[in-house]
Amino acid sequence: MHTVSGGEVAGILVAVFWAILVSFLAVALARLAQTLRATTKLVADVTDQAVPLLADASTAVRSAQTQIDRVDAIASDVQEVTSNASALSTTVASTFGGPLVKVAAFGYGVRRALGARKEDVPAREPRRTVIVGRTIPAARRTKRKKD
């Protein structure tokens, strides 16, 4: 019979330890490989979805820029029309304002002159209206009594 010496036991223990270590590292590497495959697939899927989204976003930004340019052009046109309308209003007021004031003053003078002629004719007394069921306020009653 062969007895096992201390060196042989140590060699067997070292071999078992190395076998366990290599097995553990093989399992860890297999899991790491699975994780890397899943990560690679995930990155590929995200890339496949992100590229069209970025293209759509780029198109939307270009469209928004075009619309902003149009609004800016419209705003400048409105500002130009406003300044033109203001200038036209000022021109009309200065052109027709003076003569219209003169015509109005002339009309007022004619009415006043005709009114002065009618003053020679005795004025008719204004009609008084009686409202049944209403009393005259005290202030008006006292004025009538004093007359």
Side-chain angles (χ1 to χ4, degrees):
M1 269 212 84
H2 183 3
T3 60
V4 180
S5 68
E8 290 177 358
V9 171
I12 293 174
L13 284 177
V14 169
V16 169
F17 172 74
W18 279 109
I20 292 173
L21 182 63
V22 167
S23 299
F24 176 72
L25 288 176
V27 170
L29 286 174
R31 297 247 173 124
L32 181 61
Q34 286 177 348
T35 304
L36 287 175
R37 271 186 254 126
T39 304
T40 303
K41 184 179 182 299
L42 179 65
V43 168
D45 290 346
V46 167
T47 302
D48 290 344
Q49 292 176 2
V51 169
L53 288 176
L54 290 174
D56 290 346
S58 176
T59 303
V61 167
R62 281 192 207 105
S63 175
Q65 182 62 38
T66 302
Q67 295 300 325
I68 288 173
D69 291 342
R70 286 181 184 167
V71 168
D72 189 37
I74 290 170
S76 65
D77 290 346
V78 167
Q79 185 178 8
E80 185 178 341
V81 167
T82 303
S83 64
N84 289 343
S86 175
L88 180 64
S89 172
T90 304
T91 302
V92 167
S94 65
T95 302
F96 295 112
L100 285 177
V101 168
K102 290 177 183 175
V103 167
F106 178 74
Y108 176 74
V110 168
R111 275 186 280 143
R112 192 127 193 241
L114 291 176
R117 279 188 168 181
K118 287 185 179 178
E119 284 181 7
D120 296 343
V121 178
R124 234 176 34 167
E125 193 170 317
R127 294 178 54 191
R128 293 197 173 132
T129 306
V130 176
I131 301 173
V132 179
R134 288 191 63 192
T135 58
I136 298 174
R140 286 182 61 191
R141 271 188 267 152
T142 55
K143 284 182 184 177
R144 292 203 183 264
K145 288 179 184 177
K146 290 180 182 178
D147 283 347

